[in-house]
Amino acid sequence: MQTLLKKITPQSLKEAKEILLSGGAVAFPTETVYGLGADARSDDAVEQIFRIKGRPSDNPLIVHVHSDYDLSVLVKNVKPYVQALREAFLPGPLTLVYESRGTVSPKVSCGLETLAVRVPSHAGAQELLRYVDMPIAAPSANISKHVSPVTAEHVYADLAGKVPLILDGGQCSGGIESTVCDVTGDIPVVLRSGLISQEMIESVVGCCETYTLRAGEAARSPGMKYKHYSPRCRTKLFPSEALADAENCFREIVESGETCYILCENAVCERFPSDRVLDLGKNEFEMAANLYDLLRRGEREADVIVAIEPAKKDGVMAGVLNRLRKACAE
Ligand code: AMP
Ligand code: MG
């Protein structure tokens, strides 16, 4: 299959709509990462997404809709506090998990009774979703377990020959996947951290918990149990306090003749040779926006990435750290 990479124009939107209506898949930009979309109402269209990505068949997908879409078509028994969340954060990088009305294919949620719904704020994503006016199931547009794509070129590197069309909207501004928050209970529960932090949700609703998977328990968000976001080179991760250990590790790898890059926050960059540094940036938003692009650059150019955790841990950094730790997990 030939894969076309096109800027978002009335013509490319028309082509995207034709592909989606005929059951095909289209990659498109959002404010978090690039998504691989298909008609959420069609079993075959949804199944193809799992096939293209090599995604485990028990890891449910998020449905994307435009900001005027009637959500009551998709979900039911919505808790009263959800309205305040929608007003505060939508459209934007917050996915809410509701009781499903069963209007989309059961393959979207892998048989769960719930449905994850997101309203992206990215202008191009909104344009596409409004133009097709249907629920689009879309995970990140990468091969499963690889680093998520934040440019159309990243999507092309993973999916060329597997999808007919990639809509190019430039680099994603957010850089990490949406916050996933379960709103089926009396208190919102963050299942996956992201650009909307637990603290931000708390400030609107008054309370919010973060779910942690306990040993022996079935995951409430099945995606949590999989290896994720991994570059194709070796990685080593050091806590922020272990800077000296990271420096030793870097030196040993260089002395062995391998190419080693250091991935770290801006504040510690100057301790390493500048042509070997992948600079995450100065604050949590810069670090979120830069992380996946730097991991992909690292895997292209280095044998090993030595990563050092940034000092800050809370707020949006919780999401960045979660991705960084999974990317570097054994
Ligand atoms: P991705 O599409 O790769 O961004 O991953 C979507 C994330 O949302 C995964 O971590 C899924 O486990 C999670 N998710 C999707 N649907 C549901 C659902 N119905 N209940 C809980 N988690 C969900
Ligand atoms: Mg993904």
Side-chain angles (χ1 to χ4, degrees):
M1 178 188 292
Q2 196 194 4
T3 300
L4 299 175
L5 224 158
K6 295 193 174 181
K7 295 260 181 265
I8 300 177
T9 62
Q11 178 57 32
S12 64
L13 285 173
K14 191 160 169 276
E15 288 169 39
K17 183 175 183 172
E18 278 162 16
I19 294 166
L20 290 167
L21 281 177
S22 63
V26 172
F28 64 98
T30 79
E31 71 278 19
T32 59
V33 303
Y34 273 71
L36 178 63
D39 184 350
R41 302 162 306 181
S42 156
D43 288 352
D44 289 348
V46 173
E47 243 172 21
Q48 138 200 253
I49 296 278
F50 286 88
R51 217 170 38 242
I52 292 172
K53 282 181 58 89
R55 185 178 176 98
S57 59
D58 65 347
N59 189 7
L61 305 181
I62 296 168
V63 160
H64 293 62
V65 292
H66 63 76
S67 44
D68 294 322
Y69 196 89
D70 180 4
L71 294 175
S72 68
V73 171
L74 301 174
V75 301
K76 63 183 182 187
N77 299 333
V78 177
K79 300 284 180 193
Y81 67 80
V82 172
Q83 189 51 33
L85 282 180
R86 287 180 181 170
E87 278 166 22
F89 301 119
L90 302 189
L94 176 65
T95 296
L96 298 176
V97 176
Y98 303 88
E99 272 186 55
S100 176
R101 207 177 265 291
T103 34
V104 298
S105 161
K107 297 196 184 280
V108 171
S109 293
C110 305
L112 297 173
E113 304 279 304
T114 50
L115 183 67
V117 183
R118 179 158 125 71
V119 185
S121 60
H122 188 283
Q126 275 288 324
E127 255 186 290
L128 174 69
L129 293 165
R130 206 172 283 282
Y131 189 53
V132 299
D133 197 27
M134 60 189 193
I136 297 293
S140 49
N142 53 294
I143 296 295
S144 190
K145 302 183 180 61
H146 191 213
V147 182
S148 299
V150 294
T151 67
E153 289 74 24
H154 294 163
V155 181
Y156 192 86
D158 275 25
L159 301 182
K162 298 180 175 211
V163 297
L165 178 61
I166 300 168
L167 293 176
D168 183 356
Q171 182 150 357
C172 304
S173 58
I176 59 172
E177 297 82 352
S178 61
T179 303
V180 177
C181 182
D182 185 324
V183 293
T184 58
D186 292 332
I187 294 176
V189 180
V190 172
L191 301 179
R192 175 176 76 185
S193 49
L195 294 166
I196 306 293
S197 65
Q198 176 182 340
E199 293 85 344
M200 288 159 79
I201 295 174
E202 238 160 28
S203 75
V204 171
V205 190
C207 53
C208 178
E209 292 172 355
T210 292
Y211 175 71
T212 42
L213 180 59
R214 278 181 283 269
E217 194 181 78
R220 245 167 95 175
S221 181
M224 294 175 78
K225 62 179 188 268
Y226 293 109
K227 186 175 163 74
H228 257 98
Y229 324 118
S230 312
R232 293 187 173 123
C233 63
R234 294 190 337 267
T235 55
K236 283 190 180 292
L237 178 64
F238 290 88
S240 47
E241 319 80 66
L243 205 50
D245 294 341
E247 285 177 309
N248 285 336
C249 178
F250 174 76
R251 200 173 319 111
E252 278 169 22
I253 295 167
V254 172
E255 280 168 9
S256 79
E258 289 190 300
T259 305
C260 183
Y261 278 12
I262 286 278
L263 178 72
C264 61
E265 64 183 316
N266 182 268
V268 297
C269 283
E270 62 185 24
R271 303 174 78 115
F272 299 95
S274 59
D275 63 344
R276 289 292 180 262
V277 165
L278 303 169
D279 179 2
L280 278 167
K282 292 195 169 110
N283 60 54
E284 54 203 324
F285 296 101
E286 284 182 19
M287 295 195 217
N290 291 332
L291 178 65
Y292 290 147
D293 190 48
L294 294 177
L295 286 172
R296 283 197 180 237
R297 202 184 125 205
E299 74 173 4
R300 283 195 309 272
E301 299 176 12
D303 299 306
V304 190
I305 298 173
V306 169
I308 305 169
E309 291 187 0
K312 184 174 160 58
K313 311 286 178 207
D314 59 346
V316 169
M317 269 315 290
V320 178
L321 269 179
N322 161 274
R323 306 313 191 277
L324 180 61
R325 287 177 182 157
K326 285 200 172 180
C328 297
E330 296 298 315

